[in-house]
Amino acid sequence: MSETVPSGPLYTYEHDPSAIYRQSFSTVRAEAALDRLPAAMEPVAIRLIHACGMTDIVTDLMFSDGAVQAGREALVKGAPLFTDVEMVAHGIIRSRLPAKNDVLCTLNDARVPSLAKDLGTTRSAAAVELWRDRLEGAVVAIGNAPTALFHLLETIAAGGPKPAIVLGFPVGFVGAAESKQALAENPFSLPYIALNGRRGGSAMAAAAVNALAAGLPEETAGA
């Protein structure tokens, strides 16, 4: 016995990308406590909420004064973007980068496994060593590995080059909250945006970059 095929649409849902963005950001603005943030941080918070679906993260956002401006200025000047994992790199909207900025992830570089062994650390942390030549004034987005964030801070503490801004969104149960707290308490006057606690992830790190690069889709010609 054959099944009857519906003659009309099987599901009712929004198809128009522009309408989806409008409705999404309208919901975020209605439900999130954005009024506690400086105006410059609102697009970042909205992008982050849009990436994770959790409006309550506003209360966990940590950021330094002028962080958004520092990140935007670095991108406009052509600064490279360093990411700890490929997932962050792939989430960055390349067409919105203001200077066709290089997006670099060194995790899969052939030198990393032996470097990690020599240093006695993770591959994610060892990959940070390969950023040194271009790290000064760069934008760093970490969305996965607490060890990468810790190693970056250790590198700077040892006199290494300092990026223009660090977007700290490591996720997990071992070192994630601690690494982000260390970033927030850094003594190097290092601009940062981070999420307090265990939550984070690659989608959020990429969303933070996209906010710095492009603001919100409703403020541009689409994203």
Side-chain angles (χ1 to χ4, degrees):
M1 182 176 179
S2 61
E3 296 182 359
T4 301
V5 178
S7 58
L10 185 58
Y11 302 106
T12 300
Y13 59 95
E14 183 60 69
H15 296 75
D16 179 57
S18 296
I20 291 171
Y21 273 120
R22 286 195 301 272
Q23 292 178 33
S24 294
F25 291 121
S26 175
T27 300
V28 172
R29 290 184 184 281
E31 296 185 9
L34 298 173
D35 56 350
R36 70 174 293 272
L37 299 173
M41 272 296 298
E42 284 193 17
V44 179
I46 291 171
R47 283 269 194 184
L48 291 172
I49 293 168
H50 186 248
C52 69
M54 296 178 284
T55 58
D56 65 300
I57 65 168
V58 171
T59 58
D60 286 330
L61 282 176
M62 304 185 292
F63 48 89
S64 58
D65 291 341
V68 173
Q69 181 179 356
R72 285 178 174 165
E73 288 179 354
L75 291 176
V76 168
K77 291 177 181 177
L81 278 152
F82 286 101
T83 72
D84 62 325
V85 291
E86 294 287 352
M87 287 186 291
V88 177
H90 287 300
I92 294 170
I93 305 172
R94 310 301 174 94
S95 63
R96 291 298 177 190
L97 295 176
K100 297 183 179 179
N101 309 69
D102 290 336
V103 180
L104 306 166
C105 178
T106 56
L107 182 61
N108 295 317
D109 188 287
R111 295 168 288 178
V112 167
S114 61
L115 187 56
K117 184 176 181 181
D118 291 343
L119 294 173
T121 189
T122 66
R123 289 173 59 243
S124 297
V128 173
E129 286 291 311
L130 303 181
W131 299 356
R132 287 179 181 268
D133 288 349
R134 300 183 66 188
L135 184 58
E136 186 71 36
V139 174
V140 173
I142 295 179
N144 185 271
T147 55
L149 181 50
F150 274 129
H151 193 74
L152 175 64
L153 294 173
E154 290 170 342
T155 298
I156 297 169
K162 191 171 82 171
I165 188 171
V166 175
L167 307 172
F169 294 90
V171 61
F173 300 95
V174 180
E178 293 84 354
S179 66
K180 289 178 284 188
Q181 191 61 41
L183 174 61
E185 295 174 354
N186 84 84
F188 322 116
S189 299
L190 178 63
Y192 69 89
I193 300 173
L195 186 68
N196 188 38
R198 296 171 172 175
R199 294 187 291 184
S202 297
M204 297 183 74
V209 173
N210 294 334
L212 295 181
L216 297 176
E218 63 195 30
E219 298 170 347
T220 65

